[in-house]
Amino acid sequence: MPLIPEEPQIHESAQGPRATPASGRTAPTPRPVPGPRPAAPPRPGRHGPLRPAPPVQRAPRDVAVAQPGPSGPAASASAPASATPQIQLIPASAEGALDAAEEAVDLLLDSGRAPGDVLVITTGEHHPWAAHELSFGEAAYWAQHEAGDDVFYADAAVASRAASRPVVVVAVNGGPAAAAADALPLALARAGALLIVCGDPQQINSVLGAGV
């Protein structure tokens, strides 16, 4: 009689390859799920208020350590016209004054100042935001000033048209000597609570006095 091969028997004791314990497995790295980011108020020259601003290349800062004034509701209000604003000086070269002014603005906003509280005046080259917005015409440029809801950048030659704001930042970034001589007293008159000047200390003191 032919032999019939026996079918292989599977015993319970033969359990095949053991699974890798869960503790020894390398779990797939979870992919981060980006959540909604809080919207930040637009910054002129950084994020652009309405239109994309051109890329900006600036010289390295010399010194850009501003100590912003008091923040909060009381500080946001304009000081009485008869009060003398606090004056802060940030030493910087003409090439670094614009960057120092930008750093001062950042610190002011981080401390709680509203963007509409701040006016920035340049004595030399226009701030990139101002140059960009002026390319659309003066009417649109000054309309943003009248809106008063964002930092406004003005050249010293036209700064007399700007209204007073609680904080004025001046970047003495070159230009004729007369530009700084005219812009600094004007900025002092426009500043309700705080005037920050970025530039050569000797030049600034010669205009505003040794008390700076």
Side-chain angles (χ1 to χ4, degrees):
M1 171 182 289
L3 297 176
I4 300 174
E6 294 182 358
E7 294 182 0
Q9 299 296 318
I10 301 176
H11 299 283
E12 292 183 357
S13 61
Q15 299 180 359
R18 299 181 60 185
T20 304
S23 60
R25 294 179 183 173
T26 302
T29 302
R31 300 180 63 186
V33 179
R37 300 182 62 184
R43 280 288 321 286
R46 292 297 179 104
H47 302 293
L50 296 175
R51 311 178 181 95
V56 181
Q57 293 184 351
R58 301 191 182 112
R61 292 191 299 271
D62 285 0
V63 178
V65 181
Q67 299 295 330
S71 59
S76 298
S78 298
S82 59
T84 301
Q86 179 185 358
I87 301 175
Q88 295 179 3
L89 171 61
I90 301 177
S93 66
E95 292 77 15
L98 192 58
D99 275 346
E102 276 291 274
E103 182 71 13
V105 171
D106 285 343
L107 291 174
L108 288 165
L109 299 183
D110 290 344
S111 72
R113 282 284 181 184
D117 282 354
V118 184
L119 168 68
V120 180
I121 299 174
T122 56
T123 64
E125 182 182 359
H126 283 4
H127 185 278
W129 180 88
H132 179 66
E133 292 303 318
L134 282 169
S135 68
F136 296 96
E138 288 197 7
Y141 170 74
W142 287 106
Q144 297 193 51
H145 168 266
E146 296 301 325
D149 56 1
D150 218 334
V151 180
F152 190 76
Y153 295 80
D155 180 74
V158 298
S160 59
R161 290 184 57 180
S164 297
R165 292 198 176 189
V167 182
V168 177
V169 180
V170 180
V172 185
N173 61 330
D182 294 339
L184 291 175
L186 173 66
L188 185 61
R190 291 290 189 271
L194 176 64
L195 171 63
I196 300 175
V197 187
C198 308
D200 175 51
Q202 184 176 357
Q203 181 184 14
I204 295 167
N205 286 330
S206 67
V207 176
L208 293 180
V212 178

